[in-house]
Amino acid sequence: MTDTDRTALEAAAFRRLLAHLRERSDVQNIDLMILAGFCRNCLADWLQEAAGEAGLAMDRAQAREHVYGMPFEDWKARHQREATPEQLAAFEASRRRHGA
């Protein structure tokens, strides 16, 4: 496999992940953080960092819009629920597990 092939496959997988997360707006970021140690905002931060490393201008709002498929504030208003005490406790426990 060439580097170009690998890059194309990784890009396709990333696009599929974004599409999946957009379809699963019922899955809250805190749940992703608890289970996996990353969330949509992490993906946006990584995308912004990659853009910077490539010499491309991308601010946090642009990166989040790319990941969420809409402005972050719109997504929050439509889909984000208040974290429950149980979620907050699980999040704190997961931070220790994930080394955050």
Side-chain angles (χ1 to χ4, degrees):
M1 179 182 307
T2 67
D3 285 345
T4 301
D5 292 336
R6 182 184 48 78
T7 299
L9 293 173
E10 289 172 354
F14 182 71
R15 287 189 297 270
R16 177 98 183 251
L17 172 62
L18 292 182
H20 181 76
L21 289 172
R22 289 173 187 165
E23 290 171 12
R24 292 299 313 269
S25 59
D26 60 308
V27 177
Q28 297 293 294
N29 281 334
I30 194 166
D31 295 322
L32 291 169
M33 289 296 295
I34 291 165
L35 294 172
F38 77 97
C39 68
R40 293 168 181 88
N41 291 329
C42 297
L43 289 173
D45 291 345
W46 300 337
L47 184 64
Q48 183 184 8
E49 288 172 18
E53 290 169 6
L56 302 170
M58 178 181 279
D59 64 25
R60 190 168 197 201
Q62 291 169 318
R64 283 183 167 186
E65 186 165 343
H66 185 79
V67 168
Y68 285 91
M70 66 182 69
F72 177 62
E73 293 304 320
D74 292 350
W75 191 92
K76 267 178 66 172
R78 290 181 192 184
H79 304 293
Q80 187 167 309
R81 298 183 306 269
E82 191 72 30
T84 66
E86 294 81 13
Q87 285 173 314
L88 292 172
F91 175 69
E92 285 306 315
S94 75
R95 288 180 60 154
R96 290 187 293 278
R97 238 183 11 258
H98 296 297

